[in-house]
Amino acid sequence: MNTPTILKAGLVGTLAAAAAFALGGTSAEAHDGLPVVNVPHANPRSGVQNNVLTPSATQTSVAWGNLPLTNPDTANGVTHYGYNTLDGAPLTQTTDEAHKTEPDKNVYLVLGGKHYLYQGHEIGPRGYVTRINLDESDPLKRVTLISDTDTAGNAYPTIDGITWDPFTQQLLLTAESSAPKGGVFAVGLDANGDPVDGGKATRLAALGSGGFEGIQNDADGNVWMLEDIGGKGASGGKVPNSFAYRFVPTDKHDLTKGGSLQALQIERKDGTPATTAALQANPSDAFIRQLHAYGSSFATKWVTIHTGTTEAFDATAAAKAADATPMKRPENGVFRPGTGFREFYFTETGDTSTSSTLPGAYGGVFRISQKSPSADTGRISIAAVGDEEHTGFDNITFATKDDLLVVEDAGDGLHTQRGALDSGYVFRLGDSREDEGSYAAGRGHAPRPVRFLAEGRDASATFDSICGPSYNDGDNEITGIHVSDGDASVGGLLGAKLPQPTTSPAWRTFWTQQHGDNTTWEIRWNG
């Protein structure tokens, strides 16, 4: 079996002599955050490349694509961690290789005394959810199928986003497809981490149908979602076409009872909403440039776009009709620890093309600030502005109160334009209110992205990028960056505790090298 090896960080000997910097100062010990030294360069897009991590980190593979499932659904080809074998094709590196299913975002939970990693799978003939038993020493016994059918026994769409809802004791899964296919599904887990009701997924119709990806609970039981739907082409890029959502449930312990789905509306400086009609008619609107400028801050309002229980509806169309504000492919978000769920950070992927001349082409990281997670109004500002070298931002997580990990999914086209593969960055954040005030007064400085991971390209991804079948993606991408202590209670919601990955073994860090061999890694930080 082609088992990935353990890659130790610091593979490039020039790191020590490079003009690298640590967050917050000249020494990796300058603050109580991650001891990260900048990896000087992204890997070039040429041939097979190893992953390179900052010297204070090491990584170990916990699962990879050709691991067999302990309980396969052979009739539907759901037999391996990263492959669907329904067509009987060989697993990899042939012109008729099997469909790669691509494990995506990670959820780490400790249930029944066991340490598990749950993932949805993004492409292939059908969606499914797997569980990695991190305590199992035998890789052939490590990965279990949790769900690949809905309550009617049918296949459900492939999965992009996933989170654990401690109020309902369910995994919430998002299908990133336009209505009516996309939406949110739920799979219940028992106290031992096993699926309830045979693992059959329930579609949560009250949350709408749309191209949802990021999904996260707040402490009030609301569900925050981000949509990733590219708009029509314009000036080498695309018009804004995706929304941020918040679902306010009637009963936070039972999402099938319905509630209100809201979409985020951003006001211009004159108090009028920045609407879909206006921004799609003029994707060079000055508002978009201002939104992506340090020091700018805009009022926000959650507008209700639907109230009900079980009827299906198009969330994207409803958001447009309600004059919510579209953005350039928001993807994933997380609440900042220590803020009482009053600060929500999310990535915006942007146009993923250097040919775009539109404002906001390279996306960034945005911050929504509110007086409480259920407040109807707040403010939005940009926390990190993307540029040609740092863009295609996708998954996001906090490693400490101030250290935000953001990873790229730029795609083969932008890899070719830049001549470089994806990277993972640490952004050291200050106090949000002080930042905005300093920027407005001309004293602010942009948070410097520190590369902690230069992703490589494994042999399978290299093959796919050159001559693999069109149904399998090419270059590796970084996804699933996740820091958690596995606490499955309400008190363990991401954002409720201050993460301590360098000082407490309970806090663990994972990421998935999607495409190619589809390897999921655990990072250990040597503080």
Side-chain angles (χ1 to χ4, degrees), residues 325-346:
T325 303
M327 300 184 73
K328 299 174 78 68
R329 297 180 58 198
E331 295 225 22
N332 287 282
V334 67
F335 290 94
R336 185 175 185 174
T339 66
F341 294 87
R342 294 187 297 271
E343 288 187 21
F344 183 72
Y345 287 72
F346 67 92

Side-chain angles (χ1 to χ4, degrees), residues 405-483:
L405 306 186
V406 179
V407 298
E408 292 179 316
D409 170 15
D412 289 12
L414 186 53
H415 292 168
T416 299
Q417 291 173 331
R418 298 191 302 189
L421 300 172
D422 290 336
S423 294
Y425 301 101
V426 184
F427 288 94
R428 173 73 170 176
L429 304 176
D431 180 88
S432 60
R433 290 169 298 178
E434 292 178 0
D435 282 351
E436 290 177 12
S438 295
Y439 289 134
R443 300 190 305 272
H445 62 278
R448 302 177 68 185
V450 179
R451 183 181 287 107
F452 74 91
L453 166 64
E455 187 184 34
R457 188 167 68 167
D458 61 41
S460 297
T462 304
F463 172 85
D464 285 340
S465 70
I466 298 171
C467 56
S470 60
Y471 51 78
N472 285 339
D473 285 321
D475 294 342
N476 291 122
E477 69 174 62
I478 308 172
T479 190
I481 189 69
H482 182 62
V483 177

Side-chain angles (χ1 to χ4, degrees), residues 103-359:
D104 202 331
K105 193 177 178 185
N106 294 295
V107 166
Y108 170 56
L109 296 173
V110 180
L111 293 166
K114 297 289 186 67
H115 302 80
Y116 294 130
L117 198 65
Y118 296 85
Q119 296 164 308
H121 291 247
E122 185 177 9
I123 67 169
R126 63 194 290 136
Y128 63 98
V129 182
T130 54
R131 183 188 71 193
I132 303 169
N133 184 348
L134 299 168
D135 303 321
E136 176 57 61
S137 59
D138 183 352
L140 300 180
K141 301 177 181 178
R142 189 173 294 167
V143 186
T144 299
L145 175 63
I146 293 297
S147 173
D148 72 337
T149 58
D150 63 16
T151 52
N154 300 315
Y156 53 86
T158 51
I159 300 303
D160 292 87
I162 185 172
T163 196
W164 171 246
D165 185 339
F167 300 100
T168 65
Q169 298 290 292
Q170 293 174 316
L171 294 169
L172 302 183
L173 315 165
T174 58
E176 184 194 332
S177 300
S178 300
K181 187 176 180 180
V184 183
F185 296 80
V187 175
L189 300 179
D190 64 20
N192 293 315
D194 296 320
V196 300
D197 299 327
K200 297 185 183 302
T202 300
R203 186 180 188 114
L204 300 174
L207 278 71
S209 181
F212 306 138
E213 181 165 346
I215 185 165
Q216 197 71 41
N217 285 90
D218 64 31
D220 290 345
N222 304 314
V223 183
W224 297 51
M225 300 181 294
L226 297 160
E227 185 174 44
D228 178 13
I229 298 180
K232 295 181 179 180
S235 302
K238 294 183 178 181
V239 302
N241 194 47
S242 305
F243 299 89
Y245 300 88
R246 185 179 68 179
F247 179 69
V248 181
T250 299
D251 181 352
K252 63 184 177 183
H253 300 289
D254 185 355
L255 300 183
T256 64
K257 293 182 178 179
S260 297
L261 184 66
Q262 303 170 324
L264 189 71
Q265 183 184 84
I266 307 174
E267 295 181 357
R268 299 174 184 268
K269 294 299 185 182
D270 64 4
T272 61
T275 66
T276 302
L279 298 185
Q280 291 191 342
N282 179 19
S284 295
D285 192 309
F287 165 80
I288 301 175
R289 192 177 307 279
Q290 295 163 1
L291 186 65
H292 290 81
Y294 287 119
S296 294
S297 176
F298 296 85
T300 60
K301 179 189 300 182
W302 290 104
V303 293
T304 297
I305 63 174
H306 186 271
T307 300
T309 53
T310 59
E311 68 276 14
F313 68 98
D314 185 332
T316 312
K320 292 178 180 179
D323 284 341
T325 303
M327 300 184 73
K328 299 174 78 68
R329 297 180 58 198
E331 295 225 22
N332 287 282
V334 67
F335 290 94
R336 185 175 185 174
T339 66
F341 294 87
R342 294 187 297 271
E343 288 187 21
F344 183 72
Y345 287 72
F346 67 92
T347 53
E348 184 192 45
T349 295
D351 290 332
T352 59
S353 174
T354 61
S355 64
S356 176
T357 60
L358 295 174

